């Protein structure tokens, strides 16, 4: 029975792929469109800075996808990056006018009017294919797998970019995207600019002795999700660059995230807490955070030392990481510390 159901699903996906591809008779514009499901992202000072005088893509180009595939990209007039981080890189390379869609984590202002092609965090293959893309850029976590396979079976090149774990991944990710788009020289320029700006921020980090201990918490109050980051959370590199110690990792948490308990907080003993802004909002701000069991008993809770960074950029490790790091440093080391 399971095999029959799998074959039926596969046949349905193939039909949908053909239908979506056949509908590509009138190209959609890359600058218009409604905000799609969930509405447009906030349009504030949250903007990316494109390179000046970007080169035109030299195509065809063969890119090495992180899933081991060799992908030939013949056109890059209609690009769909399926994460906020990848979108940020494409726009920063100066090729934002070629982007025809966004995913839910793409929150910067220049992408506000692009159609949304994800439902929650799941990719809608039909929505992607309806935009007739020449190239899809994806993360290793992009899914569901069936949707990604449907896009490939429709003949669209899909390049998967290796994930970001820390500051050392800024350059490699930029270069990977630039290579897929046929603009390697622009990738080198953007890498140099990004790394230079990160270095400039790091040189201005105040020295505290001892270094403050920072716990990275992932919070979604509406879903009762309360997690503390460990060594593989992706935040350790940023915390250390800000002149601090990752309290979760240092206390022995080896996984990416662990359920937040009073015992874990006591062991981590954070002097400050790092959170995503929407996560902090979901628990009722700093006052609500302090009501989570164990928080008020930590040095961070007693001092109300909280660092809040916008969700769409905190762990991107891309062209705006210098801004993330500067905001982190300013909040962490400000008189009184944090929010």
């Amino acid at each position: 029975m399971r095999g029959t159901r799998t074959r039926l699903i596969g046949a349905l996906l193939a039909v949908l792929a053909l239908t979506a591809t056949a509908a590509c008779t009138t190209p959609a514009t890359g600058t218009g469109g409604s905000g799609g499901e969930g509405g447009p992202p906030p349009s504030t000072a949250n903007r990316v800075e494109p390179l000046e005088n970007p080169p035109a893509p030299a195509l065809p180009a063969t890119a090495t996808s992180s899933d081991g595939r060799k992908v030939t990209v013949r056109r890059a007039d209609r690009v769909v990056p399926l994460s906020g981080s990848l979108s940020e890189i494409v726009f920063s390379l100066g090729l934002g006018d070629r982007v025809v869609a966004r995913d839910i984590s793409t929150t910067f202002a220049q992408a506000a009017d692009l159609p949304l092609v994800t439902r929650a965090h799941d990719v809608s293959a039909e929505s992607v294919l309806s935009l007739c893309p020449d190239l899809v850029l994806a993360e290793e976590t992009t899914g569901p797998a069936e949707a990604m396979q449907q896009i490939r079976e429709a003949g669209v090149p899909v390049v998967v970019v290796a994930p970001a774990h820390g500051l050392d991944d800024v350059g490699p990710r930029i270069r990977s995207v630039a290579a897929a788009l046929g603009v390697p020289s622009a990738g080198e320029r953007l890498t140099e600019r990004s790394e230079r700006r990160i270095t400039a921020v790091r040189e201005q980090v105040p020295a505290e002795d001892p270094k403050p201990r920072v716990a990275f918490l992932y919070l979604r109050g509406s879903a009762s999700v309360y997690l503390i980051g460990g060594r593989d959370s992706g935040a350790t590199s940023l915390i250390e660059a800000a002149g601090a110690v990752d309290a979760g990792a240092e206390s022995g948490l080896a996984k990416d995230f662990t359920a937040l308990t009073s015992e874990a907080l006591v062991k981590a003993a954070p002097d400050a807490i790092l959170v995503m802004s929407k996560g902090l909002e979901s628990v009722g701000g700093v006052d609500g955070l302090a009501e989570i069991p164990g928080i008020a008993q930590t040095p961070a809770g007693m001092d109300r030392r909280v660092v809040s960074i916008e969700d769409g950029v905190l762990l991107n490790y891309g062209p705006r990481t210098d801004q993330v790091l500067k905001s982190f440093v300013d909040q962490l080391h400000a008189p009184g510390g944090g929010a």
Side-chain angles (χ1 to χ4, degrees):
M1 184 68 179
R2 179 176 298 176
T4 300
R5 183 174 61 184
T6 300
R7 287 192 293 274
L8 288 171
I9 292 173
L12 176 60
L13 288 175
V15 171
L16 290 172
L18 289 171
T19 302
T21 303
C24 291
T25 54
T26 304
T29 64
T31 56
S34 66
E37 181 182 340
S43 179
T44 60
N46 182 13
R47 302 180 63 85
V48 300
E49 180 187 348
L51 289 174
E52 294 183 358
N53 303 315
L59 299 172
T62 299
T64 302
S65 185
S66 74
D67 58 6
R69 306 170 192 252
K70 293 287 186 180
V71 181
T72 298
V73 180
R74 302 189 184 281
R75 295 176 59 87
D77 296 326
R78 304 181 62 77
V79 181
V80 177
L82 291 174
S83 77
S85 176
L86 297 175
S87 295
E88 179 181 324
I89 294 173
V90 177
F91 273 81
S92 297
L93 286 168
L95 301 178
D97 59 341
R98 297 168 182 263
V99 177
V100 296
R102 67 179 176 91
D103 87 309
I104 197 169
S105 66
T106 302
T107 59
F108 54 87
Q110 290 103 316
D113 293 331
L114 293 171
L116 192 66
V117 291
T118 47
R119 301 186 182 104
H121 288 279
D122 288 341
V123 174
S124 166
E126 294 80 13
S127 296
V128 171
L129 292 173
S130 72
L131 295 168
C132 311
D134 300 319
L135 171 65
V136 169
L137 298 169
E139 305 277 2
E140 290 184 359
T141 55
T142 301
E146 294 84 357
M148 299 308 297
Q149 185 59 27
Q150 181 181 342
I151 293 169
R152 289 188 178 96
E153 289 176 352
V156 179
V158 176
V159 175
V160 181
V161 179
H165 298 294
L167 290 169
D168 289 342
D169 295 314
V170 171
R173 280 173 63 83
I174 291 173
R175 292 187 183 101
S176 293
V177 172
L181 291 168
V183 289
S185 62
E188 292 301 327
R189 286 170 54 200
L190 183 57
T191 295
E192 190 279 330
R193 186 186 82 179
S194 302
E195 292 180 343
R196 171 169 42 83
R197 291 178 176 182
I198 290 169
T199 298
V201 176
R202 297 185 74 163
E203 290 174 348
Q204 300 300 316
V205 174
E208 289 192 37
D209 187 17
K211 294 181 178 180
R213 297 169 59 85
V214 177
F216 174 41
L217 304 188
Y218 181 83
L219 310 171
R220 286 297 180 265
S222 58
S224 298
V225 174
Y226 309 100
L227 305 173
I228 181 171
R231 186 179 59 207
D232 294 331
S233 72
T236 300
S237 176
L238 193 66
I239 291 171
E240 292 177 348
V245 174
D246 185 337
E250 199 274 340
S251 69
L253 299 177
K255 297 193 305 180
D256 49 0
F257 290 96
T258 301
L260 184 64
T261 63
S262 297
E263 292 77 10
L265 283 167
V266 167
K267 191 171 183 180
D271 300 303
I273 291 171
L274 170 65
V275 291
M276 295 181 180
S277 55
K278 288 183 180 177
L280 184 62
E281 180 183 343
S282 77
V283 298
V286 176
D287 290 337
L289 178 65
E291 294 178 2
I292 295 174
I295 294 288
Q297 287 70 49
T298 65
M302 288 185 281
D303 293 339
R304 298 173 67 85
R305 197 175 183 184
V306 179
V307 175
S308 174
I309 305 289
E310 198 262 319
D311 301 44
V313 294
L314 176 56
L315 298 180
N316 275 4
Y317 293 114
R320 292 191 292 167
T321 293
D322 64 298
Q323 298 173 36
V324 173
L325 181 58
K326 186 175 188 310
S327 177
F328 189 172
V329 170
D330 289 347
Q331 293 181 65
L332 178 64
H333 298 284

